[in-house]
Amino acid sequence: MDVQTFDVDEPAAMQRRWMHMRYDQIDRGSFEGRFRQLCVDGVIVVSERQNRTVVKRQHTPAGSCSVSAIREISETGRCELNALDLRTTAYMPGDRDYEILMPPSDIVFFQLDQVRLMEVADTLGCSIPGNGDQSLFMDPSERDSVLALADTLLASLGSCAPDARRVVPPEYISQLVMSQAVQAMAAMSNRTVPASLTNARRITQAVRALVEAAEEPLTVIDLCRELKVSRATLQRCFEHIYGIPPLVYLRMQRLNAVRRALIAARGTSMTVTSIAMRWGFFHLARFANDYRAQFSELPSTTLSFGSRAKRWNAKGDGAFPTA
């Protein structure tokens, strides 16, 4: 699969085939990216490029894990409390939730069977910190080898070379990936996180829980009252974690929710007005301007069909690839 993406939810939707995933676009402008994916013998290889800053919320299922590396990134991002930059290569175990702040970037990752990965580590006699049950960050020297392996597999086994899969045994490919991942993980270590950042993370996650549970849109005053913190404290926490004020965060959340609702309502009798008002936008002219500034199209365009058509893989079926 090799897809040009023009909506922030398109790469998220493709990943929802194997784990829960949601993307929220933070900065303003039309979204563009490229999503490449390959599946061989239970190993999923992904290369993802995006031109906008996105908050990714995912739940990695039990028994699954990932090893990722960053090829390009416009500024420092964040995975939970850990900074993401060009030196970052990470291991993320399954059966847990992650929140990732990812600026415009180009990344690769391998989605793997965690039990098989630990079995390979045992066979190779490699000691993995935490026995694979905790998030880890690798030595920067392993980044290039992870990127090179992903690029090689995507280029040689992708849609441009369909015969390659009949020549190379799938079991060999999966063992190669597992071996490379274990070698990289053996060089991992934990990072120390400042207490101030831990507290900021705790407060922003409490805000997120309040926003998602609320039946009506919340204000900054509501958040300060519920969490018993000052506006200045709330401001500092959001600047630390997301790089934006809480008021911008709340508006961004509602705009992204409206966009998902508009896409889901295509072909129904739902209107832009009803959906906008459901999410607390009562000044419709101002809402339309804010929406266009955020996503570079009017909400009516999103509801009807979107500004650009989806482009799926070369086969045109968008099907999940198999070995």
Side-chain angles (χ1 to χ4, degrees):
M1 177 187 292
D2 189 346
V3 184
Q4 295 296 119
T5 54
F6 300 103
D7 186 280
V8 68
D9 194 57
E10 287 181 10
M14 285 178 266
Q15 292 171 79
R16 283 198 286 270
R17 295 169 180 178
W18 68 85
M19 65 177 167
H20 176 76
M21 177 69 76
R22 192 180 92 183
Y23 283 18
D24 286 319
Q25 181 178 322
I26 287 184
D27 57 354
R28 293 182 167 188
S30 57
F31 182 94
E32 292 186 23
R34 184 183 183 189
F35 189 90
R36 291 184 292 160
Q37 176 184 294
L38 177 72
C39 183
V40 180
D41 193 35
V43 172
I44 303 173
V45 190
V46 171
S47 174
E48 181 183 7
R49 187 180 69 235
Q50 63 190 48
N51 71 332
R52 303 259 67 96
T53 298
V54 173
V55 174
K56 304 180 180 183
R57 296 194 178 97
Q58 68 183 63
H59 176 79
T60 303
S64 182
C65 64
S66 67
V67 173
S68 59
I70 299 175
R71 188 195 316 279
E72 297 177 6
I73 192 166
S74 62
E75 57 186 291
T76 302
R78 188 170 300 283
C79 175
E80 301 297 319
L81 295 175
N82 298 284
L84 301 178
D85 53 37
L86 285 177
R87 299 170 298 173
T88 302
T89 309
Y91 165 77
M92 298 163 64
D95 197 22
R96 65 189 65 185
D97 297 319
Y98 296 96
E99 182 178 81
I100 303 166
L101 175 67
M102 185 60 68
S105 57
D106 190 341
I107 66 171
V108 302
F109 66 86
F110 295 92
Q111 199 76 15
L112 308 169
D113 184 301
Q114 189 169 332
V115 174
R116 287 178 62 189
L117 186 64
M118 292 302 105
E119 289 174 348
V120 170
D122 185 60
T123 300
L124 296 177
C126 292
S127 177
I128 305 301
N131 199 32
D133 290 331
Q134 60 189 39
S135 299
L136 299 169
F137 291 82
M138 304 179 194
D139 184 281
S141 64
E142 299 298 329
R143 167 181 170 268
D144 291 343
S145 60
V146 173
L147 291 172
L149 180 57
D151 288 342
T152 298
L153 293 177
L154 287 166
S156 61
L157 300 181
S159 59
C160 59
D163 292 337
R165 298 196 190 192
R166 291 193 288 268
V167 176
V168 183
E171 297 82 2
Y172 173 79
I173 298 299
S174 65
Q175 289 183 23
L176 180 65
V177 172
M178 294 284 184
S179 176
Q180 178 64 66
V182 166
Q183 178 181 327
M185 290 169 66
M188 293 181 182
S189 61
N190 286 319
R191 294 178 178 175
T192 302
V193 178
S196 60
L197 193 58
T198 301
N199 187 57
R201 173 71 177 169
R202 179 184 62 81
I203 290 176
T204 57
Q205 289 306 288
V207 168
R208 175 183 146 192
L210 287 172
V211 170
E212 293 182 350
E215 296 182 358
E216 298 179 355
L218 297 177
T219 67
V220 172
I221 295 174
D222 293 327
L223 299 178
C224 291
R225 182 184 298 116
E226 288 290 331
L227 300 176
K228 296 179 173 56
V229 298
S230 69
R231 183 171 188 138
T233 296
L234 200 64
Q235 182 90 7
R236 283 195 302 271
C237 291
F238 273 85
E239 293 286 356
H240 268 314
I241 301 300
Y242 299 115
I244 56 175
L247 188 61
V248 174
Y249 173 86
L250 291 174
R251 185 172 66 247
M252 175 273 296
Q253 286 281 69
R254 290 191 292 139
L255 286 171
N256 277 274
V258 167
R259 185 172 184 82
R260 285 190 290 270
L262 289 170
I263 292 172
R266 289 173 183 167
T268 72
S269 60
M270 294 290 289
T271 65
V272 170
T273 298
S274 62
I275 293 173
M277 294 184 70
R278 162 67 182 82
W279 288 98
F281 295 102
F282 303 109
H283 192 302
L284 296 181
R286 184 180 303 155
F287 157 72
N289 288 335
D290 287 347
Y291 188 95
R292 181 165 55 181
Q294 183 77 9
F295 303 113
S296 295
E297 69 181 27
L298 289 169
S300 57
T301 304
T302 304
L303 179 60
S304 57
F305 53 84
S307 59
R308 306 190 189 188
K310 293 183 179 179
R311 300 180 187 176
W312 292 88
N313 58 18
K315 297 179 181 179
D317 54 12
F320 186 76
T322 56

